[in-house]
Amino acid sequence: TTTTTTTITTAATESTRDGSHKEPVAVDPRIAATADELWFLRAATPLLPLMVNFTAETQVEEIYLESFSFTSMLFETIFHCPSYSHWYFTHADQITLLSFLKTSLKALQWLDRRRHAYSHPTQEYHPRRWLLKSPAHFERVPQVFEVFPRARVVLTHRSPLAIVKSACTLIVYLMRLYSDQISPSETSWLWTDRVVLLLDRHLANRPALARHAAHVLESTAEAYWTNPLAFVERIYALIDEPLTAESQARIKQYIAEHPRRGGEALHYSLDALGIRAEEIEERHGPVLARYQEFLDTLAVQ
């Protein structure tokens, strides 16, 4: 994705269905229901874990929660709806959307407090830090700080063409679940334009983002992949929380059990999507050049 918030999680697991996938031990019935949904999703899209892998207890993008406002990137990731995409990027009020998200999180935290009081009546309730992650934030970081003034933001940056290949491959593959008429080329061009617009708006927001520099951690994706533990240590420093020896051990274990396989995991190809790098450069050359210049500057920091 264009930008991600990184988290390392561990959970007790058990085999499910045919044992080919493992999900966290589900005590909460909502987690059990989610595990069943993920089993179906993986059965229908077996290559999906090679692109984005998650379990019933790991964080997912809050675009699902935002969809209840009918203003969310979710709809255009699963349906071919160019008119909605145009409306979202030209008329959707991001402050209103983020305010809806904040209210939703408050409601969930209130419910969490109620559940805690019911299940642990003698123990004090300690609110947990919310972890949000979504490429949608990439174009609206200043608005994020306006609605969430105490937020800490982690941004990872990649080569524009790498973003296009990854995003378009994922979207075209996911749409198989919702439509029997998919044009890989048309969908890929729609999302290429979307990605470039995200990059352009992010670059335009750089001066406003600079005012929050103390609360933002930025890095190239390559730096994160090269040394994920060091990157996590920087995140803990950003949020001013101690990284305990136990947490470090869990992170190291997770890294060892989930090695990055790079290009061996899945072959991403623009040709397979029906688009070419030369055409993208011709169509969006100025924006790509400006973003690549920024990326080169970030890489040497």
Side-chain angles (χ1 to χ4, degrees), residues 4-66:
T4 59
T5 301
T6 304
T7 180
I8 305 296
T9 61
T10 60
T13 60
E14 64 180 359
S15 298
T16 61
R17 306 285 181 168
D18 61 356
S20 59
H21 297 290
K22 294 184 177 182
E23 297 297 339
V25 175
V27 176
D28 190 316
R30 297 168 302 171
I31 297 178
T34 301
D36 285 341
E37 291 178 9
L38 288 179
W39 178 87
F40 169 79
L41 182 62
R42 287 168 174 161
T45 54
L47 297 179
L48 185 61
L50 299 179
M51 305 180 210
V52 53
N53 198 13
F54 46 84
T55 71
E57 286 190 340
T58 53
Q59 289 78 7
V60 296
E61 295 175 6
E62 62 273 12
I63 58 174
Y64 294 93
L65 189 56
E66 293 175 352

Side-chain angles (χ1 to χ4, degrees), residues 66 69 71-72 87-104 136-137 139-149 201 205 208 211-212:
E66 293 175 352
S69 71
T71 305
S72 173
W87 171 84
Y88 179 87
F89 270 91
T90 57
H91 293 85
D93 185 347
Q94 296 298 324
I95 294 295
T96 300
L97 171 57
L98 290 168
S99 297
F100 172 85
L101 174 62
K102 186 174 185 177
T103 300
S104 301
H137 296 316
E139 66 150 349
R140 62 188 188 196
V141 177
Q143 291 92 331
V144 168
F145 279 113
E146 183 174 341
V147 178
F148 298 93
R201 290 189 172 181
N205 284 334
R211 295 197 292 268
H212 304 280

Side-chain angles (χ1 to χ4, degrees), residues 215-265:
H215 298 156
V216 177
L217 170 61
E218 294 190 88
S219 173
T220 62
E222 288 75 14
Y224 161 66
W225 291 327
T226 300
N227 194 341
L229 179 58
F231 192 77
V232 173
E233 290 173 345
R234 294 174 64 191
I235 294 175
Y236 271 77
L238 176 71
I239 64 177
D240 195 25
E241 288 193 7
L243 181 58
T244 65
E246 179 183 0
S247 295
Q248 284 185 324
R250 287 184 175 184
I251 294 170
K252 290 179 180 178
Q253 179 181 356
Y254 183 93
I255 294 172
E257 294 176 353
H258 300 81
R260 173 173 165 74
R261 289 172 290 182
E264 298 177 2

Side-chain angles (χ1 to χ4, degrees), residues 148-203:
F148 298 93
R150 294 187 297 166
R152 300 294 182 269
V153 175
V154 179
L155 298 170
T156 53
H157 298 269
R158 300 176 65 188
S159 160
L161 289 182
I163 298 170
V164 168
K165 283 192 292 185
S166 176
C168 291
T169 302
L170 175 62
I171 298 303
V172 170
Y173 190 60
L174 279 178
M175 283 188 176
R176 297 167 65 243
L177 290 173
Y178 305 95
S179 175
D180 57 0
Q181 296 182 354
I182 303 171
S183 169
S185 176
E186 184 178 1
T187 300
S188 296
W189 272 120
L190 175 66
W191 272 90
T192 297
D193 295 342
R194 291 279 280 96
V195 167
V196 173
L197 182 56
L198 280 172
L199 300 180
D200 190 33
R201 290 189 172 181
H202 178 79
L203 292 173

Side-chain angles (χ1 to χ4, degrees), residues 100-119:
F100 172 85
L101 174 62
K102 186 174 185 177
T103 300
S104 301
L105 295 177
K106 287 181 177 180
L108 292 173
Q109 189 159 312
W110 179 82
L111 290 172
D112 190 57
R113 182 188 293 271
R114 290 290 298 271
R115 284 192 295 268
H116 178 85
Y118 179 80
S119 58

